[in-house]
Amino acid sequence: MGSLFRSEEMTLAQLFLQSETAYVCVSELGELGVVQFRDLNPDVNAFQRKFVNEVRRCEEMERKLRFIEKEIKKDGIPMLDTGDNPDAPAPREMIDLEATFERLENEMKEVNTNAEALKRNFLELTELKHILRKTQVFFDEMHDQPRQDEAQTLLGEEVSQAGIPALKLGFVAGVILRERIPAFERLLWRACRGNVFLKFAEIETPLEDPVTGDQVNKCVFIIFFQGEQLKTRVKKICEGFRATLYPCPETPAERREMAIGVMTRIEDLNTVLGQTQDHRHRVLVAAAKNIKVWFIKVQKIKAIYHTLNFCNLDVTQKCLIAECWCPISELEKIQLALRRGTERSGAAVPSILNRMSTKESPPTFNRTNKFTAAFQALVDSYGVASYREVNPAPFAIISFPFIFAVMFGDAGHGIVMALFGLWMVIKEKSLIAQKSTNEIWNTFFGGRYIILLMGLFSIYTGLIYNDFYSKSVNIFGSAWQSNYTLEDIEAHKVLQLCPNRINCTNLAKEPIHMDYRGYPYPFGMDPIWAISVNRITYTNSYKMKMSIIIGVAQMLFGVMLSIWNHRYFKEPLNIIAEFIPEMIFLNSIFGYLCVLCIYKWSVWPGDDAACAPSILLGLINMFLFKYEDYDDENIVCNQKTMFRSQQALQTLLVILAVLSAMVLLLVKPLYLRREHNKKLAIRSIADAVESAPEVTGEDVQIHDAQSRSSADPSPSGHGMDGEEFDFGDLFVYQCIHTIEFCLGCISHTASYLRLWALSLAHGQLSEVLWTMVLHMGFIFDSYAGAFVLFAVFAAWAMLTIGILLVMEGLSAFLHTLRLHWVEFQSKFYHGSGYAFLPFSFEVILDQAQASDHEVH
């Protein structure tokens, strides 16, 4: 647990790479994935860097690959993903890849252009075929009418009487979208004032749009009119509605001859289209076999050149200089990777790695696996740990699911949750292979081990609470017995069981044996409480005290963890001025409160339960210094102190708490001020010695060396060296820290009462679902009750999963997260570091895949 307890030790390294080996060496480091490069050109524009042209070429290749991928998906061709992870190709192979992608893109564009033109011709011929067919039906219907009708005007005799010569009836035919017919018809009527005759018929089969590939529904129309003016107006209206007009012969023989020619051309076009589609399909199938590998190669090339842009060139322009953070434990692997890169490139000069010393804070690298990664993510969501700071993640592996289970505690619900988590753990390989893009599912799957542990701990706490879908289970036999007769039980709605060893009587006031068997229920809560009317009163008292004990224990553990930080960073002043007073303050009040809870449970049996003092009133009186005489027999027993020396002990604890708060407030700033004044005095003496004329040069050198060594201590002090000392700022900061800690102990202890509150809410919701839903299936005595129970059980199961498991589970999860972030981690965890982001091909490819899923 060493690297998990603290982050890995990091070092800043400098790399000297020959120009001809830099690409291959960076490629090897990318495969290794343990090096974070620093940008040595932060002030240089991205378009002015050395390898910007190579990055642009990679982006152009990515664009072409995305175009090809789009065409493959459009045809529904599966893309082969063998899971191969090819090495980054050599720079000279980049030219071959560019040529391949260029050829594929041009070929696909040419095929698409030709296919679009062919489809457009096919669409036009198909529409013309339907026009000839539909208009022939119309002309056949009009064939029996007298021919002289054509010489008559549409307006009848009124036009003839006006002296206007009769015109021959003309027509135009075309195709229009079906949804535009009503508006088209209205506009024709209004624009032509009723002087046109429109006839249309629907085309039964949808037609394919040559540009979009969508199926569209169209209608054939024919418009009859008289005169060139109406003809021009009709054509303009058709153009406005994007209707397509086709020539239609007037005689049946010409229409029949044109239809035969159209059918012949359609057959020829079908043959050419089929050959074009077959060629397109063959090209795309061949590309689909390699496109995943091509994407990986291009992304690796782009990542390498992007990283090389972080490097500097030496004065000879033959060597690249890079700086990087890397774990000390991985230095040997890094050197081996550089050696492999040099050998692969065939260079004679090896690459050089030098460790550098720096005062800059290194990045934080916590090594994780598939089990610990989710818990580490919870901690990092609050803030990345400072370098080499104590990491809360290993402790959260146990404390997080346990505190969740305290709030969630139901064995039945825990079994369902544990089975769901176990299923995801067992099937994790097949589920990972599916590469789901559902964000909600990926969140649940990423936390599968957390869900499994939360379920297991919920089973444990559910057994402690003796809650199984809100019902108690009598496993070991109750520790209580009833001395009441059956008549007494039937005659009285509520009866009290006597826990006393003596003075127990029945309803007739006759002495009986006590109802308590004398030994507790072996594990968890006695099932007798499930049918008692004061169950909530009992469980509330128990869970409230338990929440306080758990909360104080976790906060105390957090304060204890801070000493590991103080010792590691060599801060003895923080141990004396912060850790010790914090421990005294927390234990003097809240640790003592937990001791009183356990003492009260242990000392007062059932006989004397009425004399047990109130802990809450005792805590209030502790700060008011208000006490009653323990030996005074005139005072009610539950108003007395718990033990004789309680007054003296509590007075001492209050004094210790006040003194520890004063120490926490004053000692550190006053000590640092004293040390600062000492340094100023030493420096002033050194300056006076240097300016004295009678001092020899040798003495000046000696005193100067001593003054420098005294004034510049090692940087592992208290963090104030090298910075301008401001006592006011330091004192204000310490005041804030003291107030935050002292008030935080109170508010955080109260905050842990949410363990009791959510446990109560979960139990009551579960009981409501049982009483108002599932219980309805048990009230029928006939066979019909089985069908009712089946339906009711389905509703109860859905509500249980939706409300208690999902919504209540999410609520308990968020409250647990808050308790860890605020109440626990605030005692020792600063979280002011920054994450180690290594140059890793695996991470880059995963991010590219995730972003691709988001786009689609």
Side-chain angles (χ1 to χ4, degrees), residues 426-477:
I426 294 175
K427 297 288 186 179
E428 64 180 10
K429 290 185 179 180
S430 59
L431 294 174
I432 291 173
Q434 293 178 7
K435 297 180 179 179
S436 173
T437 58
N438 189 299
E439 186 176 355
I440 297 177
W441 164 253
N442 289 336
T443 301
F444 279 105
F445 182 72
R448 57 193 179 278
Y449 289 99
I450 299 179
I451 295 175
L452 175 61
L453 288 180
M454 290 192 305
L456 294 177
F457 277 86
S458 295
I459 296 174
Y460 168 75
T461 54
L463 294 175
I464 293 292
Y465 297 156
N466 205 343
D467 249 352
F468 189 85
Y469 295 110
S470 79
K471 294 300 175 184
S472 294
V473 182
N474 191 2
I475 301 175
F476 305 104

Side-chain angles (χ1 to χ4, degrees), residues 109-125 209-211 265 269 272-273 276-277:
K109 285 183 177 180
E110 183 179 357
V111 169
N112 289 344
T113 303
N114 295 336
E116 184 178 340
L118 290 172
K119 287 181 178 179
R120 185 178 290 107
N121 291 337
F122 181 79
L123 177 65
E124 292 174 354
L125 291 174
D209 191 302
V211 178
R265 292 175 61 187
L269 272 179
V272 176
L273 271 173
T276 304
Q277 290 296 332

Side-chain angles (χ1 to χ4, degrees), residues 4 73 77 88 115 152 164 175 195 290 346 355 405 410 494 499 544-545 551 739 742 782 803:
L4 192 60
K73 290 181 178 179
I77 301 173
Q152 296 181 2
I164 301 176
V175 175
N195 291 322
N290 301 313
R355 292 181 60 179
D410 188 293
V494 178
M544 191 186 303
K545 295 180 176 65
I739 296 172
C742 295
S782 62
I803 296 177

Side-chain angles (χ1 to χ4, degrees), residues 538-555:
Y538 169 75
T539 55
N540 280 355
S541 175
Y542 164 71
K543 291 180 179 180
M544 191 186 303
K545 295 180 176 65
M546 179 196 65
S547 301
I548 295 296
I549 294 173
I550 292 175
V552 173
Q554 189 177 32
M555 290 192 296

